[in-house]
Structures are given as C-alpha cells and as structure tokens.
Amino acid sequence: MENITVMTALVIIVVIGFIAGKIGYMNEEFDKKLSALIVNITCPALILSSTMGETLPDREMILPLLGISFLTYILLTGVSFTLPRLLTRRKEDEGIVGFALMFGNVGFIGYPIVASIFGQTAIFYAAILNVANTFFVFTIGNLLVANGNDTLRYDTAQAPTIREQAHYDNENEDGNENGNYNKEDNKDNNVQHKTPELNQDNNEKEDLKLRLKRKFEKKVLYSTPMLSAYLSMVIVALGIDNIPEAISKPLTMIGNITVPGALMIIGSTMAQLSGRAMLGNVTVYATSLFRLVLIPLAFYWLFTWMGYDPYVVNINTVIIAMPVATYGTILCLINNRDTTLMTELTFTTTIISMVTIPLLASAFS
C-alpha cells in the first residue's frame, strides 16, 4: 500500500507540472534553465546528502554493492547500444530508447521504494548503487541522448532560441534529421547537400569507438554531478559519519528540490505534447516492457546464478526495475534534443510501474 502511495504522489507532482505548463507558469525556456539548475546544483547536493546519514551501514556490503552496480551498468551499456535497433525503426531515436532501457529513476523513486521494501537503512545501500548510476548517466547516458550532436552539454549557453531553431530546421529539412542547431553547421552545409548519400553511408558505418571519440569530452569526468559522485564514494570508503549539520542540512534542503523539480519538468514537457503522442506507440510499450519487467528479471537470474548475496541482488533488482529516469528529459533539453519520445517513455513507464513495482515489492517483502 505504501508503494502505491509513493507512486501516486509522484504522479500528482507530474500533473501539477502539466497544469503549470498549460497555464503558462512553465514553458520551454523555463524548463531549460530549471534543468541546468537541477543537473549542476540540486542533483549533486542530493547525491552528497545521501551519504551523510547519522549511521553507516555494514561496511562488508559496500564493496559487493559497488561491484554489482558497476557490472550491471557495464552490461546495460551493451544492451543500450544493441537492443534499440530492434525496438525502433528510426535511427535518430535509438539513443533515446537506449537511455530508457539503461537508466531507471533511482534517486527519485528508487529510494522511497527500497525503504518501503527493505527498511530505512537500505536507503544507504541504494545510494551506493546510485554511484554507478550517476557515473553512467552523465557519461554513457549523456552520450546516448546527445546522439546526433557533436558534443555533450551540461549547460544551456549554446542552446538556440526557438526562432533560431525554427529557422535552422527550415533551411536544413533535408539535412540533419534531428533538427539539432549547431552554429558551426553552416560551414559544412554545402558539402553535406552535395553528397547526401555518401554522408548517410558514412554515418551508418561509424562504429561505437569513433562515436565515443567524437562526442565524449573529458570535462564530463569532472562535471559537477561527477565530482559529487566521487566525493560521495570517498565519504563511504572512509566511513566518515561526523559531517557537521551546518554542511549536511543545507545540502539536504537543496537536494530536496531535485525530485519535485524534475517531475514538474516532465509534466511541463507533457503539456507541449498532443493527446495522441501521450498515448504512446509500439516502440514506447515495447521499451516499457523491457525496462520494467524483462531486464530486471534477466539481471535477477544472472546475479543469482553468479552467486551474489541474495540481499544485494534483491536491492539491485528493485533499482533496475524503476521507470525511466527523469534525467532523460533534462538531458534532452540541455542537449537540444526533441523531448517527445523521452517524455512518452518516462510518463508511460511511471504509470505502468504503479502496477509492476507493488508486484515486485510483494515478491521481495
């Protein structure tokens, strides 16, 4: 019952964001600025505050949790670059689908669900698992979302205005399929239009190694979210449990903005969708099935077969079974990608998870 209450509360916040978008309190420009604030300030504060509890868990559980979490996301990386080819016919959507398959809503929904199933102390274990999630969200995850852009972004300084984007789309409707604005593109437009078939063939043959080299920037490794993840790992490894309240309390208060802020952004972006788009499509429902059911069960059986501690496997399975991470929509805005598919996936998996998560909870309770 508690799980249903948590999920209902989260959906209500999304609905409030939807209403705010419809009546004009939130719009595309506001969502971009709020997204940058969440990614660079409130999310890092949430990550740090999760390691500043009054008591530390069993230290013997820390390494197994870190190990299984990093192994999980290494395997999910392979899934995110291969399975989307079977779930969508649109090449430009493969990165969005890959992100949805790889990342669940750990920080927003995962923590309260883990607490309701395994007890309050399990939140710390979930936070340890979230270290790997954070690392991969802002590296591989951002790479997937930025598919079609030349570089990864963590700010909106280079994002085009609505007028610039519309002008660019009209001028290049036969060129860049994603409609992503890049002020350097005009230098190469003539070459692209002269050899469209050659460019398309080259894009199809481009392998993962070249994509990573072209799109990945080293500054991602020392962005604000990653720095907070590194610091939280140090806090856990050294067993620091005496952080002054003057530090932990402000971080907790700022971090608490993350959940409602991110969910309201989802609601606001939904307000810009048509009713037909909100109903989803085959790609959305197929991805949701893998995200909420098939992938969690596969990893549960895999790690059980590998002999991991059942308690660790159970917590990791619950984390994997969360709906699509709300950071997906935020990263779409920051990287200037169309948010329609990501919003549909986030909305649909959140609604369906109101059924799948309680069933999972009953299995592990």
Side-chain angles (χ1 to χ4, degrees):
M1 185 66 183
E2 184 178 351
N3 300 314
I4 297 177
T5 301
V6 171
M7 298 303 298
T8 301
L10 297 175
V11 170
I12 289 175
I13 297 176
V14 173
V15 171
I16 293 174
F18 179 86
I19 296 173
K22 282 294 186 183
I23 63 179
Y25 284 115
M26 298 180 71
N27 54 38
E28 182 180 0
E29 294 301 319
F30 178 84
D31 291 347
K32 280 188 177 183
K33 292 180 180 180
L34 181 57
S35 297
L37 179 72
I38 288 175
V39 168
N40 292 297
I41 297 179
T42 71
C43 172
L46 179 67
I47 294 170
L48 288 172
S49 65
S50 69
T51 64
M52 297 181 182
E54 295 181 358
T55 58
L56 291 176
D58 184 359
R59 291 181 183 228
E60 294 182 359
M61 299 292 291
I62 294 176
L63 288 180
L65 284 166
L66 284 173
I68 195 174
S69 63
F70 275 94
L71 179 57
T72 295
Y73 285 101
I74 289 172
L75 295 174
L76 283 175
T77 298
V79 172
S80 68
F81 280 100
T82 54
L83 187 57
R85 300 174 186 175
L86 304 177
L87 298 179
T88 179
R89 296 179 180 179
R90 292 169 55 86
K91 187 172 182 62
E92 60 268 30
D93 287 343
E94 289 181 5
I96 302 295
V97 173
F99 183 97
L101 292 171
M102 189 171 180
F103 298 106
N105 201 334
V106 180
F108 302 165
I109 300 178
Y111 288 166
I113 295 299
V114 166
S116 65
I117 298 175
F118 302 103
Q120 197 69 21
T121 56
I123 293 180
F124 201 96
Y125 296 129
I128 296 174
L129 290 170
N130 199 34
V131 169
N133 178 277
T134 302
F135 178 87
F136 281 88
V137 161
F138 293 105
T139 51
I140 300 299
N142 205 13
L143 171 69
L144 288 166
V145 173
N147 182 29
N149 284 351
D150 290 332
T151 57
L152 309 180
R153 290 185 182 138
Y154 288 96
D155 59 71
T156 57
Q158 298 300 320
T161 64
I162 295 176
R163 180 175 298 179
E164 287 176 325
Q165 179 72 55
H167 175 73
Y168 183 77
D169 291 341
N170 291 334
E171 291 291 327
N172 299 278
E173 60 180 351
D174 294 327
N176 187 348
E177 290 182 355
N178 293 327
N180 292 317
Y181 180 84
N182 188 329
K183 294 182 179 180
E184 298 296 323
D185 283 347
N186 289 332
K187 297 179 181 179
D188 302 318
N189 278 345
N190 293 333
V191 176
Q192 292 177 0
H193 284 288
K194 287 180 181 179
T195 58
E197 295 181 359
L198 180 59
N199 287 335
Q200 183 177 358
D201 291 340
N202 289 337
N203 289 334
E204 291 177 353
K205 294 179 181 179
E206 184 181 35
D207 60 20
L208 174 60
K209 182 178 180 180
L210 291 176
R211 291 174 61 199
L212 285 167
K213 183 178 180 180
R214 178 168 61 88
K215 295 176 182 176
F216 186 77
E217 292 185 349
K218 291 183 179 180
K219 66 180 182 181
V220 173
L221 296 176
Y222 49 86
S223 62
T224 311
M226 290 310 304
L227 289 175
S228 64
Y230 299 149
L231 184 56
S232 67
M233 292 178 67
V234 171
I235 293 173
V236 171
L238 298 180
I240 301 174
D241 58 358
N242 57 348
I243 296 176
E245 187 175 355
I247 296 176
S248 62
K249 191 169 184 178
L251 287 174
T252 301
M253 295 175 68
I254 295 172
N256 287 341
I257 298 173
T258 306
V259 177
L263 293 174
M264 289 185 71
I265 288 174
I266 292 177
S268 176
T269 54
M270 284 172 52
Q272 303 172 30
L273 300 178
S274 63
R276 182 178 179 181
M278 291 177 62
L279 294 177
N281 51 48
V282 175
T283 296
V284 170
Y285 290 113
T287 304
S288 299
L289 177 63
F290 277 94
R291 166 74 262 169
L292 298 173
V293 180
L294 299 182
I295 289 178
L297 289 178
F299 276 82
Y300 174 79
W301 288 326
L302 173 64
F303 290 127
T304 299
W305 175 78
M306 292 177 67
Y308 276 89
D309 185 287
Y311 186 67
V312 173
V313 173
N314 291 346
I315 295 178
N316 190 58
T317 302
V318 171
I319 293 298
I320 299 173
M322 293 298 107
V324 176
T326 51
Y327 286 130
T329 301
I330 292 173
L331 291 176
C332 280
L333 289 168
I334 290 177
N335 285 286
N336 213 36
R337 291 295 307 275
D338 183 9
T339 61
T340 300
L341 179 58
M342 186 70 80
T343 302
E344 290 177 6
L345 287 166
T346 306
F347 175 76
T348 302
T349 54
T350 300
I351 296 299
I352 297 176
S353 69
M354 295 181 69
V355 176
T356 59
I357 289 178
L359 290 176
L360 189 67
S362 63
F364 289 140
S365 295

